Amino acid sequence: MKISEYLDNFTPDTLISIIGPLYRSGPMQEPLLFVDGGSNCRVGNAGLSVGDGDSSVCPMDIPLPTDKDYSDLAFALKSIPANYSSVCLYGFLGKRRDHEYFNLGAAHQFLESRSQPSTIRFEQTIIGYTAGTWSFHREGLFSILSLKDAWLTLHGDCRYQCRDRTRFRALDSLGLSNVGHGEIHLQTENPVFVIHENTFDSR
């Protein structure tokens, strides 16, 4: 079964949870995609597993070759139809830093491929937004990261605001270490990531 065929059982506004090899906790409600070692946490036949099996003790529903020029997560994200708009990743942060960087890259490509406003989350730490207008609630530190040049505005209950359209260059420290204390409004012309530090509060 293909990932798109599995997702045909759900409506496009349903949150897709993707479980990775570093999964510790989080919801296990379908639709569920288990990426390689994430399938070690699978209960019964819930969801669908995909990967090359290098970190799993379970056979994959969708086996991938070991020698390939893309990651298991990148394959899973690219297989999600463009009308699905909400994904949360569990077990993809920590351990190998290089994997974290490339997981962010795969998430960015996912956001660029969406045909409507969409989000992708890394647990309670990072939220990626497509181009568009967004609001989120934040109490504490946060940073805004762009992997491509992005023009954006930022205002509301935060210490550092960009009320005028401002260019955030790729990996620009301009977005580093802001502080939120309420409702924050973001408008961006390209996908960006909001990185939360310490506590997480998003409504």
Side-chain angles (χ1 to χ4, degrees), residues 169-187:
R169 297 180 184 273
L171 299 173
D172 195 340
S173 60
L174 175 62
L176 181 64
S177 294
N178 208 329
V179 181
H181 46 87
E183 198 75 10
I184 299 167
H185 307 286
L186 167 70
Q187 184 172 15

Side-chain angles (χ1 to χ4, degrees), residues 40-62:
N40 297 330
C41 304
R42 190 179 189 182
V43 178
N45 294 319
L48 200 65
S49 63
V50 56
D52 58 22
D54 66 351
S55 61
S56 173
V57 298
C58 310
M60 298 289 106
D61 295 321
I62 303 175

Side-chain angles (χ1 to χ4, degrees), residues 16 33 41 55 58-59 68 113 124 134 148 157 163 165:
I16 302 171
L33 299 178
C41 304
S55 61
C58 310
K68 56 188 184 301
S113 72
Q124 296 182 336
W134 300 92
K148 285 186 176 180
D157 296 324
R163 290 191 169 274
R165 183 171 172 267

Side-chain angles (χ1 to χ4, degrees), residues 58-105:
C58 310
M60 298 289 106
D61 295 321
I62 303 175
L64 300 178
T66 302
D67 296 326
K68 56 188 184 301
D69 56 3
Y70 52 87
S71 70
D72 296 339
L73 176 61
F75 177 90
L77 290 174
K78 286 181 179 179
S79 300
I80 296 173
N83 57 336
Y84 284 81
S85 61
S86 186
V87 170
C88 193
L89 307 175
Y90 299 93
F92 291 94
L93 297 177
K95 204 169 181 178
R96 285 185 57 175
R97 192 62 56 84
D98 55 345
H99 281 191
E100 287 190 357
Y101 296 152
F102 290 104
N103 289 341
L104 274 174

Side-chain angles (χ1 to χ4, degrees), residues 102-121:
F102 290 104
N103 289 341
L104 274 174
H108 185 270
Q109 292 175 2
F110 169 83
L111 294 171
E112 285 193 314
S113 72
R114 296 302 92 183
S115 56
Q116 71 285 318
S118 304
T119 61
I120 186 167
R121 296 172 179 258

Side-chain angles (χ1 to χ4, degrees), residues 112-150:
E112 285 193 314
S113 72
R114 296 302 92 183
S115 56
Q116 71 285 318
S118 304
T119 61
I120 186 167
R121 296 172 179 258
F122 287 81
E123 300 176 14
Q124 296 182 336
T125 304
I126 302 171
I127 308 176
Y129 297 97
T130 52
T133 300
W134 300 92
S135 293
F136 60 93
H137 191 94
R138 179 62 184 153
E139 301 287 347
L141 285 172
F142 73 94
S143 296
I144 294 180
L145 170 70
S146 177
L147 297 184
K148 285 186 176 180
D149 284 12

